Amino acid sequence: MPPPSSPQQKPTDSSTTASAPSRPTWLRWLLRFVLWTTGLAVAGALGLLLTIAVALAVAYPNLPDISDLADYRPKLPLRVYSSEGALLGEFGEERRNLTPIQEIPKVMKDAVLAIEDSRFFQHGGVDYKGVVRAGLANLGRVKSQGASTITMQVARNVYLSSEKTFTRKIYEILLTFKLEHMLTKDQILEIYMNQIYLGNRAYGFSAAAEAYFGKPLKSISIAEAAMLAGLPKAPSAYNPISNPKRARSRQLYIIERMEENGFITAQEAAAAKKEDLKIRSGPDNTRIHAEYVAEMARQLIFTQYGNEAYTRGLNVYTTLNAGEQEAAYTALRRGIMDYERRQQYRGPEKFVVLPTAAQEVEDAVDDALANHPDNGDVMAAVVLEAGPRKIVAARANGDNLEISGDGLKPAQSGLSDKAPPNIKIRRGAVIRVVKTPKGAWEITQLPEVEGAFVALDPRSGSIRALVGGFDFDKNKFNHAAQAWRQPGSSFKPFIYSAALEKGFTPATVVNDAPLFFDAGTTGGQPWEPKNYDGKYDGPMTLRTGLAKSKNMISIRILQAVGPKTAQEWVSRFGFDAEKHPAYLTMALGAGSVTPLQMASAYAVFANGGYRVNPWLIAKVTDHKGRVISEVTPPAVSELPRAIDARNAFVMNSLLQEVTRSGTAARAQGTLKRSDIGGKTGTTNDSVDAWFAGYQSTIAAVTWIGYDTPRNLGSRETGGGLSLPVWISFMERALKGVPVTEQVVPPGVVNVGGEWFYEEYARNAGIASVGLEEQQRTTGGPDVAPHAPPPTEERNRILDLFRN
């Protein structure tokens, strides 16, 4: 058997016998790294996309429903206006004027777009170019730029919280796309322009224009628009009131942006940069002072609408006349301050320690006056120097003022060397000052006394002016509508009116003689009433008795009429019978009334005998001006009758006598017209001072007194305190109003220059209350002729003089 053979070898050439060179190790690892990294990146991207898709699928259905933004209705405050449309008050958390996009001026829109989103009309909600630009700008450390578009800001401000989280950002972007899909660009811009907070409680640019410049949005300039456009980024940091330098810097930048974007020319930009802006830095001194009226309207609307009243954007139009309201406010404050000048100086409001360094003094003055703000024209100041002949004081605005001469008289006791420490005016004392009509400074003090004024139209009862106190911020109690006070002699006309229905006439003679009522008669303490001046003038007519406001005459008249009858009669005028007990003290106004009640009661004399109820709100509209409710007052002849026309006519004649020759003669003497009537009133111990009066087109009442009843002063009366306030108001209210003459109603005749009911003037003769008794005992003189009253009334009246 042959031996096994070896494997057969095939020959090869050199090219095949040489082995291929292997790759370097580092390259193999690099390739592996790239492949793995790419794979991981792709996987990560797919995972991220999947995660985002799942997040979107979960989040999108949970996004807020934005369909209501198509009919955008933000929170709008309740606004109260005068009858002419002057703003009186605003109530609500957010001060906002909803302004349609077409009514927003182009300059305001351009300023906002220039700084907030110049590509607003080009992008779809997220400005990718803006994001890149902002990123590069921020990396390059140039002026920092944001990437939030206006749509994104709307999504954030309307629906989302202010927290900075990734989740909120996702929601913001999703909402942005949803807004862009469902709303037009103009709708989005309108929401932004009305919704954004701009400081000073102002929401939206329309409210901000009023808050910072005191003008409507349609009237702003380029410079003003640029200032407002700087506020959205940081309303506090760029507030032109509290941070004027930063606000100015941002304003200039926005003007440059407006020029860069082609919204304004270079010339307009240069002019805007030079414009001197008038920023409203304090309270609105141009607004009508009607705080008490605005509060009354707020309460009435809240009663009807509840909390919704502060968010619905209701516009409440009152019956108030803006000019007359300002006249009433000014007249009452002047009357109260005139009274204050006659009072003892009570001393500075506070004492502070002033340093010696000038700058430190300014800071100390600012700190001291921060807690003592000005009260209208009654301003606060800190004394820097004090001497018996001159005082130098610093105001909050940095001005120093000098007071000397007559300006020191109201505080003379505080300048005396013997003044106690709490009265002494010295360096660091916080005092009050006012400017006199001559322009000089005078020391004064915030009054403790209060007052009220109300005027209404006697033909309808609509309130034309109402001031509830010296200052609403100082005392919010509405004395015109809420203060129940004794009316004093101003109540006498209602007793006289009752007497006319019991046979009395203006010519009836009543004896002005002392009266005394023992305990058995009064059922309590003995009572010995007196006339105000302590004098008694004997027999006189009713006309004279009312003109001179003789207490004895009124009491004897009430005795004849009967307290119970009189109590029922005065309720015809709107008075509460239970607040006027049926006692003889009712003749002197010992019951309780409010100034508003008195005004409506005197309106009965002014309008010919018709009862009117005061009312304030004429119309309510929504924020678009659509009328929700409106009041149409009835004609005078359709009102309920309180007293007969002839009673009103004769009473009008008597009350005109008061303003012609009686305790209110100053009224006709100053106003130079004969068609006004009224009555002064001073209560016991001069606690309350009144004047109530009217002309056929307006009835008005003034009251002055302390909240805690106390003596106003032995010489203070309604004629001296309240009448001047009434006259000052009437000078404005009756300007241009022709003098009127009342038409004589049927059943009234004139005999010998005096007015009588026809049935009492049939027989000429002499009659008086107690005349026969007077003539038998004293041989007294005759009296003015008039017809005698019915026999039963005559006998009752005669009994008065036998007591």
Side-chain angles (χ1 to χ4, degrees):
M1 184 171 187
S5 58
S6 302
Q8 192 173 2
Q9 301 288 331
K10 290 183 179 179
T12 60
D13 57 29
S14 61
S15 63
T16 60
T17 58
S19 60
S22 61
R23 292 187 180 93
T25 302
W26 66 269
L27 183 59
R28 291 198 304 271
W29 281 107
L30 179 61
L31 290 174
R32 288 177 181 177
F33 177 77
V34 170
L35 291 173
W36 276 102
T37 302
T38 303
L40 289 173
V42 171
L46 291 174
L48 179 62
L49 289 175
L50 182 62
T51 301
I52 292 174
V54 171
L56 292 178
V58 173
Y60 199 84
N62 294 324
L63 291 177
D65 181 12
I66 64 172
S67 59
D68 57 338
L69 282 184
D71 184 21
Y72 175 58
R73 293 183 182 181
K75 291 180 180 179
L76 297 173
L78 167 69
R79 292 188 175 93
V80 181
Y81 298 91
S82 71
S83 59
E84 306 92 341
L87 183 64
L88 305 180
E90 192 173 46
F91 303 92
E93 294 178 5
E94 301 177 1
R95 182 187 297 163
R96 180 186 281 112
N97 298 320
L98 183 58
T99 308
I101 190 66
Q102 61 269 22
E103 295 180 17
I104 298 175
K106 184 176 182 298
V107 66
M108 189 70 254
K109 289 185 282 190
D110 289 345
V112 169
L113 293 176
I115 190 61
E116 294 294 333
D117 192 354
S118 59
R119 297 188 65 254
F120 174 69
F121 287 100
Q122 282 78 50
H123 63 67
V126 177
D127 185 5
Y128 303 105
K129 289 183 180 179
V131 172
V132 174
R133 184 179 63 249
L136 292 175
N138 294 338
L139 286 174
R141 296 190 178 184
V142 295
K143 185 179 283 288
S144 176
Q145 295 184 12
S148 288
T149 64
I150 282 177
T151 312
M152 293 170 73
Q153 292 184 57
V154 169
R156 180 167 63 244
N157 293 329
V158 175
Y159 289 110
L160 302 175
S161 67
S162 59
E163 62 176 348
K164 295 182 179 180
T165 64
F166 182 72
T167 303
R168 199 220 65 176
K169 196 65 180 178
I170 291 177
Y171 273 95
E172 181 181 314
I173 294 172
L174 292 176
L175 269 174
T176 297
F177 290 136
K178 193 171 184 179
L179 286 170
E180 288 280 345
H181 176 69
M182 296 191 66
L183 303 178
T184 66
K185 286 288 188 179
D186 276 348
Q187 285 178 310
I188 294 171
L189 187 58
E190 177 181 301
I191 294 168
Y192 177 83
M193 301 287 282
N194 284 283
Q195 181 72 21
I196 193 76
Y197 176 63
L198 300 171
N200 271 26
R201 285 184 54 238
Y203 288 78
F205 288 94
S206 182
E210 293 282 356
Y212 292 105
F213 300 117
K215 60 171 61 175
L217 186 61
K218 64 182 180 181
S219 303
I220 63 170
S221 64
I222 293 173
E224 290 167 335
M227 182 68 78
L228 294 179
L231 290 167
K233 183 177 181 181
S236 177
Y238 297 112
N239 187 312
I241 297 174
S242 57
N243 287 302
K245 290 183 180 180
R246 294 186 68 179
R248 170 65 172 165
S249 175
R250 184 157 176 81
Q251 177 213 28
L252 294 176
Y253 174 64
I254 293 173
I255 292 173
E256 292 172 1
R257 292 280 297 156
M258 292 176 74
E259 182 184 356
E260 290 171 9
N261 284 277
F263 294 136
I264 58 175
T265 65
Q267 292 78 10
E268 289 174 324
K273 290 179 180 180
K274 294 178 182 177
E275 184 176 333
D276 184 22
L277 301 187
K278 292 180 173 59
I279 306 295
R280 176 187 287 173
S281 57
D284 185 4
N285 294 324
T286 63
R287 179 174 288 188
I288 304 300
H289 288 285
E291 295 85 354
Y292 291 97
V293 174
E295 175 59 17
M296 289 173 69
R298 182 199 69 79
Q299 292 178 13
L300 291 169
I301 295 298
F302 179 79
T303 300
Q304 186 170 357
Y305 294 96
N307 288 324
E308 199 179 40
Y310 307 130
T311 59
R312 284 186 58 176
L314 298 176
N315 298 309
V316 180
Y317 293 88
T318 67
T319 58
L320 217 67
N321 179 286
E324 291 175 7
Q325 177 65 25
E326 271 304 290
Y329 173 83
T330 303
L332 181 63
R333 282 180 67 95
R334 185 187 300 126
I336 289 176
M337 291 308 297
D338 286 345
Y339 169 79
E340 197 59 48
R341 287 187 183 92
R342 300 192 291 272
Q343 306 312 302
Q344 185 76 15
Y345 186 62
R346 296 183 292 274
E349 295 179 15
K350 186 180 180 181
F351 295 95
V352 296
V353 177
L354 296 180
T356 54
Q359 183 57 49
E360 293 179 1
V361 168
E362 290 183 13
D363 293 341
V365 168
D366 290 343
D367 291 342
L369 297 183
N371 296 320
H372 297 268
D374 292 344
N375 189 301
D377 55 352
V378 184
M379 293 172 275
V382 177
V383 174
L384 302 179
E385 302 174 22
R389 295 185 178 181
K390 186 180 76 171
I391 285 178
V392 178
R395 292 268 296 114
N397 59 8
D399 292 344
N400 287 353
L401 51 90
E402 288 190 6
I403 311 168
S404 58
D406 290 343
L408 298 174
K409 286 184 178 179
Q412 203 64 51
S413 61
L415 295 170
S416 171
D417 292 336
K418 298 180 180 179
N422 63 317
I423 303 295
K424 181 71 174 177
I425 298 176
R426 57 184 182 273
R427 179 177 168 83
V430 178
I431 61 172
R432 293 283 169 171
V433 296
V434 292
K435 247 186 179 177
T436 66
K438 296 181 179 179
W441 289 102
E442 179 181 87
I443 294 183
T444 187
Q445 55 192 344
L446 284 175
E448 292 181 344
V449 74
E450 275 293 353
F453 185 93
V454 59
L456 53 79
D457 189 332
R459 298 162 295 187
S460 66
S462 61
I463 296 173
R464 289 169 55 172
L466 186 147
V467 185
F470 179 78
D471 180 73
F472 183 77
D473 292 330
K474 176 173 170 277
N475 187 347
K476 292 178 171 55
F477 183 74
N478 189 340
H479 299 84
Q482 297 173 297
W484 291 93
R485 308 293 294 219
Q486 290 188 345
S489 296
S490 62
F491 197 75
K492 289 176 180 176
F494 307 107
I495 305 300
Y496 277 63
S497 172
L500 293 180
E501 300 304 310
K502 293 295 183 178
F504 283 77
T505 75
T508 300
V509 175
V510 182
N511 192 16
D512 178 32
L515 283 168
F516 176 79
F517 302 92
D518 58 28
T521 303
T522 63
Q525 297 294 321
W527 182 44
E528 187 177 7
K530 300 181 182 298
N531 287 325
Y532 173 77
D533 58 6
K535 299 177 182 178
Y536 304 95
D537 296 333
M540 63 179 63
T541 63
L542 258 69
R543 180 176 291 276
T544 302
L546 186 61
K548 291 185 175 183
S549 196
K550 290 291 187 176
N551 291 340
M552 302 303 106
I553 304 294
S554 297
I555 294 171
R556 284 191 162 92
I557 290 173
L558 183 55
Q559 279 185 301
V561 170
K564 188 64 179 176
T565 300
Q567 183 190 45
E568 294 172 355
W569 184 261
V570 300
S571 65
R572 291 168 172 255
F573 295 85
F575 295 116
D576 302 325
E578 64 273 12
K579 290 188 179 293
H580 300 273
Y583 302 120
L584 291 179
T585 51
M586 181 167 50
L588 307 184
S592 296
V593 300
T594 68
L596 189 56
Q597 262 193 343
M598 289 292 280
S600 59
Y602 269 77
V604 175
F605 297 136
N607 66 25
Y610 294 95
R611 167 85 175 274
V612 295
N613 291 315
W615 58 285
L616 179 63
I617 296 177
K619 182 173 66 175
V620 179
T621 71
D622 65 12
H623 69 280
K624 292 185 178 180
R626 293 174 297 208
V627 176
I628 297 174
S629 63
E630 190 167 10
V631 175
T632 302
V636 177
S637 59
E638 297 175 7
L639 294 170
R641 183 166 281 286
I643 58 176
D644 190 72
R646 58 183 190 168
N647 187 301
F649 178 85
V650 174
M651 284 305 306
N652 182 55
S653 172
L654 291 174
L655 289 168
Q656 286 182 357
E657 187 67 38
V658 176
T659 59
R660 186 185 71 83
S661 65
T663 56
R666 182 176 174 181
Q668 287 196 27
T670 303
L671 297 174
K672 308 299 182 186
R673 55 191 305 150
S674 59
D675 61 341
I676 54 175
K679 183 70 184 73
T680 55
T682 309
T683 61
N684 196 32
D685 292 329
S686 298
V687 169
D688 299 275
W690 294 81
F691 184 77
Y694 60 88
Q695 191 262 356
S696 60
T697 62
I698 190 166
V701 171
T702 307
W703 166 84
I704 292 177
Y706 288 99
D707 277 337
T708 302
R710 72 174 196 253
N711 189 286
L712 287 164
S714 59
R715 297 184 179 181
E716 303 295 352
T717 65
L721 270 179
S722 294
L723 177 60
V725 175
W726 188 90
I727 292 174
S728 177
F729 169 80
M730 283 297 188
E731 285 177 326
R732 164 65 176 80
L734 296 178
K735 188 175 183 179
V737 177
V739 175
T740 59
E741 193 169 320
Q742 280 198 320
V743 177
V744 182
V748 177
V749 296
N750 190 287
V751 177
E754 188 56 274
W755 295 104
F756 298 88
Y757 284 6
E758 190 174 26
E759 61 268 30
Y760 299 154
R762 280 183 242 144
N763 302 314
I766 303 295
S768 66
V769 178
L771 176 62
E772 295 89 341
E773 194 76 16
Q774 177 77 12
Q775 289 178 323
R776 281 199 299 271
T777 58
T778 65
D782 288 347
V783 295
H786 79 300
T791 302
E792 64 276 11
E793 294 295 336
R794 180 178 173 83
N795 291 336
R796 188 176 176 189
I797 292 169
L798 288 175
D799 286 341
L800 298 178
F801 274 81
R802 298 191 181 98
N803 294 330

